[in-house]
Amino acid sequence: MTNSTTVPLIIHGVDVLNGSANEPASLFRPNPDNDSNRGVYAAGATPALCVQAVESCADAFATWRDSQPYERRRLFNNLAKLLRAKEGEIQTLIEQEILCSALWAKINVNDSIALAEEVAATVTSGVLSGLAPIIRDPEAHAVVFKEPFGVVLGIAPWNAPLILGLRAVAAAVAAGNTVLLKGSEISPRTHYSLAKLFQDAGFPPGVVNYIQHSPEDAVSCFEALISHGAVQKCNFTGSTAVGRHVAQRAAFYLKPVVLELGGKNCAIVLEDADLTKAVDQVLLGAFLNSGQICMSTDLVLVAQLVEQQFRRLLHQKLSDGSQQVTEVISQKSRSRIDALVSNAVQKGASTTTAETGTRASSIIIGDVTPHMEFWEQESFGPLLGLRVFDEEEAAIQMVNDSPYGLSGAIFSRNYLKALKLAKRLNMGAVHINSATVHDEACLPHGGRKESGWGRFGAHWGFEEFLQTKTIILHP
């Protein structure tokens, strides 16, 4: 943004602040609970502006689909260089906009650089190549091509705005699609800056367009986007409740979606675990970015034999382990978290709190039971529940009974046993002797059950945004 306190939209390479005379953009304040947003406004898209942005993407697709993979690789390498050059500036912006720690902002930037470079490397690795299957007629030849879908709608959340904004766009664009990035009303400055970097890296106008809208216009804008004939696929990262609505409307228009949704992520601490390491990693997984990560550790299940020692270490290390707790994003979130704690206490839970010097405190909820709202609801805040188990089978059952299935952890010195148990957990990823919060550009990422479906990351992410076409040459 230049000399402006208003975050624009980007449509076909042009910043849009005012819309048109017939359909002016409305201004809204991003997250009024964040003091650093004073004086900051965002241009809110209308359904008509959404349509305009989609049609720009459709126009760009006509030529972008035929661009050479080597050119796409060059542009993504340019993007990685720009991210490196602006690393400090972007980190500061993220810290201000989502009230996070310097560490979380740095992770966002470093992981985004890694993602851009991974996409650049993957696009010429053969992932776009087709096949020539052998068919019955020896005189005929079959070829299976991989082709892009067209216009993809990418909807990104606020809690890791740079990396998840880039993830919503990168593989789809590298596969030959064009993307309309719909940013979060909580982090429009970061999402706009990301879209602007695509321009600066040399991507043609319309290959990546950017919109945001006020919370009040969410339903009408999404309907205008998902119903448009040019939009062929959607990816969404966010809550399960909103993801369900996205899936329902996409299904009505028979459009495929990739969904990375919420999680109720558990860490299992076995009797033979390195307890010091387990406590450190559980606290990191629970409280990084104030627990506002889809992979955050919500529950730790501890073997009865080591329960007392684990509890003692957990409380000893709670203060130091809470250094990544800064702020909860909004008053609405704080109220929801307080309600979960209150309900748990009313139903018999004990609590231990570590004051952090901010408006957010890290809280351990002891003696959690399935009767508490916290047991099944994603906390998405600095809460960690603890429950003891007698048998490993009981721990596996507790994890698999959850409606979610995103990420988990197992702590044990017996790697073979931990691997066998990990294979029985119904979730997208299991981390042995590490935190539930872990993802890399070279790995597939996604969940099961109410944590969504589909995968981001590496060649798995490319495959989500490619479709096959079979051509048979008959004699």
Side-chain angles (χ1 to χ4, degrees):
M1 294 174 291
T2 58
N3 301 320
S4 175
T5 56
T6 302
V7 185
L9 317 175
I10 301 177
I11 300 178
H12 217 73
V14 177
D15 284 4
V16 176
L17 285 168
N18 300 317
S20 66
N22 293 328
E23 198 71 42
S26 59
L27 295 183
F28 67 93
R29 280 195 62 197
N31 191 13
D33 293 336
N34 182 350
D35 291 341
S36 71
N37 281 335
R38 289 177 181 171
V40 176
Y41 294 87
T46 61
L49 286 170
C50 290
V51 169
Q52 185 180 334
V54 169
E55 291 176 348
S56 162
C57 286
D59 290 344
F61 176 67
T63 52
W64 179 250
R65 67 177 301 168
D66 295 323
S67 62
Q68 290 298 306
Y70 297 99
E71 173 64 7
R72 299 177 203 167
R73 181 179 68 185
R74 182 185 70 82
L75 293 174
F76 273 99
N77 279 326
N78 286 350
L79 182 65
K81 291 175 184 175
L82 286 173
L83 286 166
R84 272 203 178 84
K86 295 178 176 288
E87 181 176 354
E89 174 187 336
I90 298 172
Q91 283 184 26
T92 299
L93 176 58
I94 294 171
E95 286 181 59
Q96 291 175 348
E97 195 162 43
I98 69 166
L99 305 170
C100 70
S101 67
L103 174 62
W104 184 241
K106 186 175 181 64
I107 289 171
N108 259 256
V109 177
N110 288 346
D111 284 0
S112 296
I113 294 168
L115 177 57
E117 291 177 338
E118 179 72 22
V119 167
T122 304
V123 73
T124 53
S125 69
V127 70
L128 303 180
S129 301
L131 295 171
I134 297 173
I135 57 177
R136 287 192 299 265
D137 187 344
E139 301 300 321
H141 300 277
V143 183
V144 180
F145 291 96
K146 293 181 182 179
E147 296 183 344
F149 279 84
V151 179
V152 172
L153 171 61
I155 306 175
W158 61 266
N159 60 313
L162 190 70
I163 180 61
L164 297 185
L166 180 57
R167 192 182 72 173
V169 172
V173 167
N177 304 278
T178 55
V179 178
L180 175 55
L181 173 62
K182 190 172 87 66
S184 169
E185 71 277 7
I186 292 176
S187 58
R189 287 182 285 167
T190 304
H191 284 151
Y192 165 82
S193 298
L194 171 63
K196 200 69 173 174
L197 285 177
F198 274 87
Q199 273 186 268
D200 297 341
F203 287 83
V207 171
V208 176
N209 285 335
Y210 172 71
I211 64 162
Q212 70 235 339
H213 53 67
S214 69
E216 295 77 15
D217 291 331
V219 172
S220 60
C221 283
F222 177 69
E223 188 67 20
L225 294 166
I226 200 66
S227 65
H228 197 289
V231 172
Q232 296 297 302
K233 190 160 187 174
C234 173
N235 72 81
F236 170 82
T237 301
S239 71
T240 295
V242 177
R244 183 173 280 110
H245 175 75
V246 168
Q248 287 172 339
R249 298 312 298 158
F252 180 82
Y253 295 107
L254 299 179
K255 297 183 180 182
V257 293
V258 179
L259 300 172
E260 202 258 274
L261 308 176
K264 191 69 181 178
N265 309 298
C266 294
I268 301 174
V269 181
L270 301 181
E271 294 175 356
D272 64 344
D274 179 335
L275 295 184
T276 298
K277 182 174 186 178
V279 166
D280 289 340
Q281 291 299 307
V282 166
L283 289 173
L284 177 65
F287 298 140
L288 183 62
N289 194 30
S290 303
Q292 298 168 123
I293 307 171
C294 60
M295 299 174 284
S296 292
T297 307
D298 261 16
L299 286 166
V300 57
L301 309 178
V302 184
Q304 189 172 45
L305 188 65
V306 295
E307 172 208 351
Q308 291 185 4
Q309 188 179 353
F310 183 87
R311 283 184 191 263
R312 185 167 58 251
L313 282 170
L314 188 67
H315 289 96
Q316 286 174 357
K317 290 175 170 283
L318 177 59
S319 181
D320 288 342
S322 302
Q323 297 303 307
Q324 295 303 312
V325 176
T326 53
E327 299 276 357
V328 174
I329 194 63
S330 67
Q331 181 57 50
K332 182 179 179 181
S333 290
R334 286 191 288 273
S335 297
R336 177 183 51 77
I337 291 166
D338 289 345
L340 287 174
V341 175
S342 177
N343 175 268
V345 170
Q346 288 173 10
K347 295 182 178 179
S350 60
T351 61
T352 303
T353 301
E355 301 297 336
T356 62
T358 68
R359 288 180 291 182
S361 301
S362 56
I363 301 175
I364 295 175
I365 305 175
D367 310 309
V368 176
T369 70
H371 303 293
M372 299 169 185
E373 292 177 357
F374 176 81
W375 181 257
E376 284 199 348
Q377 289 187 28
E378 179 184 28
S379 67
F380 215 69
L383 305 181
L384 173 65
L386 187 148
R387 183 172 172 86
V388 178
F389 65 87
D390 294 325
E391 303 290 337
E392 292 167 5
E393 192 65 33
I396 297 296
Q397 191 65 45
M398 282 188 275
V399 173
N400 286 342
D401 281 347
S402 169
Y404 295 102
L406 185 59
S407 183
I410 297 174
F411 293 90
S412 171
R413 289 185 170 92
N414 187 331
Y415 285 95
L416 182 59
K417 180 167 98 172
L419 178 60
K420 289 180 178 178
L421 292 177
K423 292 172 71 174
R424 295 180 59 197
L425 296 179
N426 191 10
M427 55 186 57
V430 182
H431 308 282
I432 296 174
N433 294 329
S434 189
T436 58
V437 178
H438 186 103
D439 187 25
E440 296 184 35
C442 61
L443 298 173
H445 181 76
R448 299 179 181 181
K449 301 186 289 185
E450 291 189 14
S451 291
W453 61 70
R455 292 295 180 265
F456 293 100
H459 68 86
W460 296 275
F462 271 75
E463 295 291 351
E464 294 287 353
F465 301 104
L466 292 166
Q467 54 189 340
T468 60
K469 176 185 286 181
T470 301
I471 298 177
I472 302 177
L473 304 173
H474 296 276

